[in-house]
Amino acid sequence: MSDNVSIHRVEDVNDFNAIMEIENRAFLYPYPIDLFIYDFQHHPYSEYYKLILDNTIIGYFGIWIIFEDVQITTIAVHPNYQGRGYGDKMMEFLINYVKELGCRNITLEVRVSNIKALNFYKKHLFEIVGVRRRYYENGEDAYLMKRDL
Ligand SMILES: CC(C)(COP(=O)(O)OP(=O)(O)OC[C@H]1O[C@@H](n2cnc3c(N)ncnc32)[C@H](O)[C@@H]1OP(=O)(O)O)[C@@H](O)C(=O)NCCC(=O)NCCS
């Protein structure tokens, strides 16, 4: 992993153009840009962060912070940069940030087939606490995962 990497809060809606390029390549079923922008502009608990390498966005995550409860709404690294520790870096940043805010737990949903993400979340001490049947549009189930802080 290069040293020239940093994480910043997304403040400018135009950053979603770069984020969408990653979204479209990282996910088999990407979410549309309108959904990101609506969440960014209208959801009072929503925050997005971008991972920058040499002035280019190569990763991002979204969270909802609802008092003590945090929900990871999305997290991705550009496929060309996956497997190099950048996901770990974002997750460590996220956990430290919400711990400092005094949050008590983090939850997320993940496709049951997404072995890479499941490993990633387990590494960061998330546990499977439930299954949401046919959670995704293609009928796939989601695991509900949780980490207490
Ligand atoms: C999941 C994701 C964010 C992880 O980011 P990353 O930069 O690739 O991950 P890192 O290189 O930091 O690796 C962190 C851990 O993830 C897991 N992991 C990463 N690549 C993996 C692979 N090819 N197979 C299995 N586990 C893998 C491992 O536990 C790894 O830890 P280790 O290297 O100590 O074994 C990234 O792969 C991604 O964007 N995937 C597509 C989008 C997605 O599925 N997001 C999650 C939606 S719920």
Side-chain angles (χ1 to χ4, degrees):
M1 183 167 48
S2 163
D3 285 343
N4 198 9
V5 65
S6 56
I7 298 174
H8 306 272
R9 186 162 177 184
V10 174
E11 311 279 1
D12 183 348
V13 73
N14 291 316
D15 279 344
F16 285 96
N17 295 319
I19 286 173
M20 280 312 295
E21 282 182 29
I22 301 170
E23 173 84 10
N24 287 331
R25 296 195 52 184
F27 289 98
L28 196 54
Y29 301 96
Y31 283 114
I33 191 164
D34 302 6
L35 204 135
F36 278 92
I37 291 177
Y38 185 86
D39 184 57
F40 173 70
Q41 291 181 326
H42 300 293
H43 197 302
Y45 304 114
S46 172
E47 297 183 11
Y48 286 86
Y49 290 83
K50 54 187 176 180
L51 179 81
I52 295 182
L53 172 67
D54 298 331
N55 299 318
T56 303
I57 298 176
I58 63 153
Y60 58 90
F61 65 86
I63 46 179
W64 289 340
I65 303 174
I66 305 174
F67 304 103
E68 294 185 341
D69 304 324
V70 180
Q71 167 88 4
I72 298 178
T73 55
T74 184
I75 183 164
V77 173
H78 189 292
N80 292 353
Y81 295 92
Q82 287 177 12
R84 300 193 203 172
Y86 293 116
D88 280 347
K89 194 167 179 73
M90 286 199 289
M91 186 59 87
E92 284 157 16
F93 176 97
L94 189 166
I95 289 167
N96 286 336
Y97 171 55
V98 300
K99 266 187 184 172
E100 277 174 21
L101 293 177
C103 300
R104 301 300 299 275
N105 65 77
I106 310 175
T107 54
L108 59 90
E109 277 95 14
V110 56
R111 287 177 188 274
V112 296
S113 65
N114 194 346
I115 303 301
K116 201 192 271 195
L118 275 165
N119 276 343
F120 173 63
Y121 295 133
K122 284 179 183 163
K123 178 177 179 184
H124 290 280
L125 308 179
F126 285 80
E127 291 176 3
I128 295 171
V129 293
V131 180
R132 299 204 195 282
R133 299 278 172 217
R134 302 184 62 80
Y135 182 78
Y136 296 101
E137 267 183 24
N138 72 335
E140 187 172 350
D141 295 346
Y143 286 128
L144 173 62
M145 300 187 82
K146 184 175 180 196
R147 173 175 165 164
D148 292 321
L149 298 172

